[in-house]
Amino acid sequence: MAGDEVTGSRAPGAGPLLLGVRHHGPGSARAVRAALEAARPRAVLIEGPPEADALIPLALDEGMRPPVALLAHAVDEPGRSAFWPLAAFSPEWVALRWALEHDVPARFIDLPAVHTLAWQRDDENAPADEDEAATGDERPSGEDVGADVRVDPLAVLAGTAGHDDPERWWEDVVEHRGRGAADPFAPFLALEEAMGALREAYGSGGHERDLVREAHMRLKIRAAHREFGDGVAVVCGAWHVPALRRKATVAADRALLKGLPKVKADLTWVPWTHRRLSRAGGYGAGIDSPGWYAHLFDAPDRPVERWLTKVAGLLREEDRIVSPAHVIEAVRLAETLAAMRGRPLPGLSETTDAVRAVLGDGSDVPLALVHDRLVVGDVLGEVPETAPAVPLQRDLARLQRRLRLKPEALERELELDLRGETDAARSGLLHRLRLLGVDWGEPAASRGGTGTFRETWRLRWEPELSVRVAEAGIWGTTVLAAANARAEADAVGAQTLAEVTGLAEHCLLAGLSDALPVVMRVLADRAALDADVGHLAQALPALVRSLRYGDVRGTDTEALAGVAVGLAERVFVGLPPACAALDPDAAEAMRRHVDAVHTAVGLLGDTPAAGHDDLRPRWHTVLRVLAERDTAPGVIRGRAVRLLLDDGAIEQDRAARLMGLALSPGTPPPDAAAWIEGFVGGGGGGMLLVHDERLLGLVDAWLTGVPAEAFTDVLPLLRRTFSAYEPGVRRTLGELVRRGPGQGGGAAGALAAGTPGFGPGLDRERADAVVPVLRLLLGLDEAATADGAVKDQVAGAKPSSAARPATGAATPMPLSFGSTGAAADGATRDGSTGAAA
């Protein structure tokens, strides 16, 4: 009989067959399978939450592909959750599959999830990290052989055996054991004896909750013994085996379980990844190399040769030169290293050394790729559609299939063209999920252009996103309904005006037409009550961006345009008074607000839905007030002049006069330096100085006249300003300063003939060569019109102030061929290098 076979391999009367394992250990998994085949028990008990017994049959479903995990979450608080991850090489998974394949009852016997989740809520030392709290306590599944306790049993056993590396010791004594051993129960008896000695020395190891879990396991084992007799096999963490073997009364065990807190919980299967099984992922699953362990479990023979062949294939995919001869030599080296180190077979350390020496030519760069893609890996499990799921999860799965967006563990980029129906729907889904806190996709910068019809996403499905989906289920049964409800709730609960405007933008991006009216109502109320100009300035850009995205998505943005115009008008009125009496930090923050409002007004004036063509002229009036108001900080006055000059709303003579006043001897050097930073700081500031030598001369003359005691105070500010320029601009400025900028002004095109590095005039033939490129960039249809316009500019026709190109545009600039650039990098006090400081 099966029971006699078990008793014959253990002490008589030892009771149920206790198979102590290391979770996610391929050697333990093979040993469990061999022991079950030999014992043929009538029932299999496994460490895990008993509420998941109804989910066990799904382990045999064709759609179930590990790694997977049992997910338990509180019904009232879906974000409170716990995982029990299982890989193909996990002993528990092997036991489940064996029981189902042999029509043997399988049951979970660990502490119920209702208590585990309640412990999380009541634990004052619950993890504060968001990711850790979201994934809950995985250790009910039994972290390695007791890694949840303060004592690390593997480290103690390895140290007793004279090994300094517990992982290598475990590989040698368990993972690399010869297959087909005579006694399949011997390793479990040896491990039980070792754990018994450890528990005699360390007790519960510092984690008292293990005593409660073990009391519940003993009660479950007694119940199974009454039902099935001695034909019961128990698969659990090796650390628990001595406690389960210990004699304890039913009354004592029930006393330990009395009064435990509980919550209502739901359980299901969810996909898991190899990366989440690694310690590096922060989930404490007990193994550093899940990909390597999966290979050891799956390889029928010659695991080292097969592993190095897999490594060679990966390196060849990355265009590295690897031949069969390299693989043969790497295998020889790994076997030699194992023999020299006294190991039964080459382990991960030996194969890694062989890869570095032979396949990587001594470099660690290939090792990083091998470790990430093979040693750890990005294998993502699958769960059948018949698995229980919240309605929101089912709707998400339906949308993923319809839009052909398959969840993948490996990060990938997705380019979307919003003019297409499918891509627009994909964009809407990803934005709605982000609003619900399910960050499956992260927006990225588009490489193909900056148009509003293009989006780029980085997609990566993480296991904890299943928890986020369950948590978001409180908002609705579909993604669309849940996103609408969440947006409305967030709008009502928003603390600042900027949060509401950002939410309005998100509603347009996600296509939440039902929530937008509520958000707009809250936005109008908040905007009417908020008198802080900084808050209004922060809110305006998001609204204007929303108008642009609303156009490409076909959303009605008329109400949004009205609110945006109203915000702009309030900013116009409140900005000048708000710029008085500011310290340097506040002045810099206000300067950023001015830039944001300037950009927003420009976009808003170009939006047909706005219907306010006078916004730009009114904004220019505000800028003129700021430019000439002595109480405004220098950085704001300088920026106002710069913005006016960029828009052609102020003449160059006027700008030069304002600069001259700001840089006059009566102005304190720090204030003058702040004015310069505001005027020429940021994109395009250097081009202003290149093309208007009068401005460059003013800056140079002021800098060379700064007293020595004040120079060190203004130098950091000036360095910050000029270091932001492109290298070519700095080089040209240095050349201009070296020869001395003109004192009477004039554009760069009027440079004196014979100046080193510059021609006497324009080269029309070379200028004409740029016409096709300009036509392509500007989208001009008629070549004749384009030729005429460009040639007029080349011939020196002065454009009107309204048509003046924005600073930083692709305008001709003098190039200094052969310049060493030394002048641009200097920071001396003589006039030759002052402007390049």
Side-chain angles (χ1 to χ4, degrees):
M1 293 177 59
D4 295 335
E5 294 176 10
V6 176
T7 304
S9 298
R10 299 180 290 114
L17 174 62
L18 300 181
L19 304 178
V21 300
R22 180 188 185 184
H23 299 286
H24 314 311
S28 291
R30 286 194 300 267
V32 164
R33 185 163 53 194
L36 293 177
E37 287 290 346
R40 295 285 174 172
R42 297 174 57 194
V44 177
L45 307 182
I46 301 169
E47 185 180 334
E51 299 96 328
D53 284 352
L55 303 176
I56 289 177
L58 289 173
L60 205 59
D61 193 289
E62 294 182 355
M64 181 77 81
R65 293 184 177 84
V68 293
L70 285 168
L71 163 64
H73 64 85
V75 174
D76 298 330
E77 297 178 78
R80 187 176 305 281
S81 58
F83 290 106
W84 287 262
L86 298 172
F89 50 85
S90 298
E92 297 89 346
W93 180 259
V94 171
L96 278 179
R97 295 279 299 189
W98 185 92
L100 292 172
E101 291 168 356
H102 293 79
D103 199 22
V104 172
R107 297 173 184 174
F108 289 115
I109 61 171
D110 202 351
L111 193 69
V114 295
H115 301 307
T116 301
L117 297 174
W119 265 344
Q120 286 186 18
R121 182 181 59 188
D122 298 337
D123 191 353
E124 295 180 354
N125 299 319
D129 180 75
E130 182 179 352
D131 288 341
E132 196 172 344
T135 56
D137 183 6
E138 287 180 309
R139 292 171 294 206
S141 64
E143 158 54 1
D144 74 4
V145 280
D148 188 32
V149 297
R150 296 174 184 174
V151 177
D152 183 356
L154 284 186
V156 175
L157 293 176
T160 304
H163 287 253
D164 57 355
D165 188 341
E167 290 292 330
R168 291 185 59 183
W169 174 80
W170 183 262
E171 278 195 355
D172 288 348
V173 300
V174 177
E175 307 304 341
H176 293 162
R177 279 177 47 83
R179 306 182 185 185
D183 186 356
F185 310 108
F188 298 105
L189 294 175
L191 198 55
E192 178 181 346
E193 183 179 356
M195 292 300 161
L198 286 175
R199 294 202 64 147
E200 287 181 6
Y202 297 105
S204 64
H207 202 281
E208 299 302 324
R209 287 181 178 175
D210 275 350
L211 301 178
V212 178
R213 295 172 58 200
E214 289 159 355
H216 188 271
M217 292 184 196
R218 286 193 293 267
L219 291 176
K220 285 290 188 179
I221 293 173
R222 291 191 187 99
H225 184 267
R226 289 194 298 270
E227 183 177 356
F228 300 103
D230 290 334
V232 176
V234 180
V235 179
C236 63
W239 178 259
H240 303 299
V241 171
L244 300 185
R245 184 77 69 190
R246 182 175 60 86
K247 298 295 183 181
T249 64
V250 174
D253 287 341
R254 287 178 176 172
L256 285 174
L257 298 171
K258 185 177 181 180
L260 290 180
K262 64 171 60 178
V263 297
K264 188 176 181 181
D266 279 342
L267 281 85
T268 187
W269 290 104
V270 295
W272 205 250
T273 67
H274 276 177
R275 192 170 299 278
R276 289 308 190 198
L277 290 172
S278 69
R279 287 192 182 123
Y283 289 81
I287 51 176
D288 295 315
S289 48
W292 166 253
Y293 274 12
H295 170 77
L296 291 180
F297 184 73
D298 294 335
D301 57 3
R302 306 176 72 88
V304 177
E305 291 86 341
R306 295 178 184 274
W307 175 258
L308 291 174
T309 300
K310 188 183 299 184
V311 171
L314 173 63
L315 296 179
R316 287 173 67 91
E317 290 176 359
E318 299 297 324
D319 295 330
R320 294 189 66 91
I321 301 176
V322 179
S323 68
H326 286 91
V327 178
I328 294 173
E329 185 60 31
V331 171
R332 290 175 178 171
L333 178 58
E335 292 175 343
T336 302
L337 290 173
M340 294 176 61
R341 296 169 181 174
R343 306 194 66 182
L345 283 175
L348 183 59
S349 59
E350 284 73 30
T351 57
T352 300
D353 291 341
V355 170
R356 178 190 294 109
V358 180
L359 304 183
D361 297 327
S363 172
D364 285 338
V365 175
L367 289 181
L369 176 66
V370 172
H371 182 271
D372 184 68
R373 301 277 289 277
L374 294 182
V375 177
V376 177
D378 282 299
V379 177
L380 176 64
E382 296 181 13
V383 172
E385 297 180 5
T386 54
V390 296
L392 182 64
Q393 176 66 60
R394 295 191 180 280
D395 183 62
L396 175 58
R398 178 185 62 81
L399 292 173
Q400 288 171 337
R401 291 192 300 271
R402 183 171 67 84
L403 299 176
R404 299 188 297 278
L405 278 179
K406 183 180 180 181
E408 296 177 357
L410 187 65
E411 183 178 290
R412 67 185 180 98
E413 277 199 358
L414 178 66
E415 294 279 352
L416 298 179
D417 186 339
L418 303 182
R419 296 169 296 184
E421 182 179 351
T422 299
D423 280 359
R426 290 173 173 175
S427 172
L429 173 62
L430 294 174
H431 280 294
R432 290 167 189 171
L433 290 176
R434 280 177 59 82
L435 186 62
L436 292 170
V438 184
D439 295 328
W440 176 21
E442 178 183 355
S446 295
R447 294 173 297 183
T450 58
T452 57
F453 62 85
R454 187 183 302 275
E455 281 186 354
T456 301
W457 292 82
R458 279 194 293 266
L459 301 182
R460 182 169 185 167
W461 185 267
E462 303 285 3
E464 66 268 19
L465 294 181
S466 299
V467 179
R468 307 292 190 203
V469 174
E471 188 174 12
I474 63 175
W475 299 106
T477 58
T478 66
V479 175
L480 178 59
N484 275 303
R486 177 67 183 270
E488 294 176 2
D490 287 352
V492 174
Q495 299 297 319
T496 65
L497 181 61
E499 291 180 14
V500 184
T501 55
L503 191 58
E505 180 182 13
H506 210 147
C507 286
L508 286 170
L509 292 172
L512 303 179
S513 56
D514 292 342
L516 191 57
V518 177
V519 176
M520 293 305 304
R521 184 170 60 252
V522 174
L523 176 59
D525 295 342
R526 292 289 181 88
L529 297 176
D530 200 329
D532 191 309
V533 175
H535 293 169
L536 299 176
Q538 284 180 318
L540 184 60
L543 286 183
V544 177
R545 288 195 303 268
S546 300
L547 290 173
R548 299 179 67 200
Y549 282 109
D551 291 341
V552 74
R553 286 171 168 81
T555 307
D556 184 10
T557 57
E558 182 177 355
L560 197 63
V563 175
V565 171
L567 280 182
E569 292 175 345
R570 296 185 61 194
V571 170
F572 295 167
V573 174
L575 188 59
C579 290
L582 297 178
D583 60 29
D585 292 338
E588 177 61 25
M590 189 61 72
R591 195 269 305 165
R592 291 194 293 269
H593 292 330
V594 170
D595 284 346
V597 172
H598 181 77
T599 303
V601 169
L603 294 174
L604 190 60
D606 293 336
T607 303
H612 287 71
D613 298 333
D614 60 340
L615 283 178
R616 279 191 180 180
R618 294 171 61 191
W619 172 241
H620 291 159
T621 302
V622 176
L623 291 177
R624 290 190 185 93
V625 172
L626 293 176
E628 300 179 3
R629 179 164 291 186
D630 294 338
T631 57
V635 66
I636 294 179
R637 288 185 283 120
R639 178 60 67 175
V641 175
R642 163 74 180 281
L643 296 177
L644 288 169
L645 192 61
D646 287 349
D647 282 1
I650 188 175
E651 296 293 335
Q652 290 188 352
D653 292 342
R654 180 62 177 167
R657 181 174 181 277
L658 291 173
M659 175 182 279
L661 292 174
L663 303 184
S664 62
T667 304
D671 292 346
W675 197 98
I676 292 175
E677 182 185 23
F679 183 76
V680 297
M687 297 297 292
L688 271 177
L689 299 180
V690 167
H691 289 282
D692 196 329
E693 291 192 64
R694 175 175 40 181
L695 300 181
L696 179 59
L698 289 172
V699 175
D700 186 65
W702 169 80
L703 185 56
T704 56
V706 174
E709 60 274 13
F711 183 76
T712 54
D713 294 333
V714 302
L715 184 59
L717 187 61
L718 294 172
R719 281 192 176 275
R720 183 177 67 185
T721 301
F722 289 94
S723 64
Y725 295 164
E726 294 290 335
V729 174
R730 293 202 304 268
R731 184 172 60 251
T732 304
L733 285 175
E735 182 64 27
L736 291 173
V737 174
R738 183 186 64 79
R739 69 168 180 80
Q743 300 301 316
L751 293 173
T755 300
F758 296 93
L762 293 177
D763 189 332
R764 296 176 180 273
E765 182 178 353
R766 295 178 64 187
D768 289 342
V770 222
V771 171
V773 179
L774 290 177
R775 290 181 61 251
L776 179 63
L777 294 176
L778 299 176
L780 300 178
D781 296 326
E782 296 181 9
T785 303
D787 286 344
V790 174
K791 288 179 180 178
D792 286 344
Q793 295 292 335
V794 172
K798 183 177 180 180
S800 64
S801 59
R804 177 186 176 87
T807 302
T811 53
M813 62 173 285
L815 298 176
S816 177
F817 298 103
S819 171
T820 61
D825 296 331
T828 59
R829 291 298 324 286
D830 58 21
S832 63
T833 58

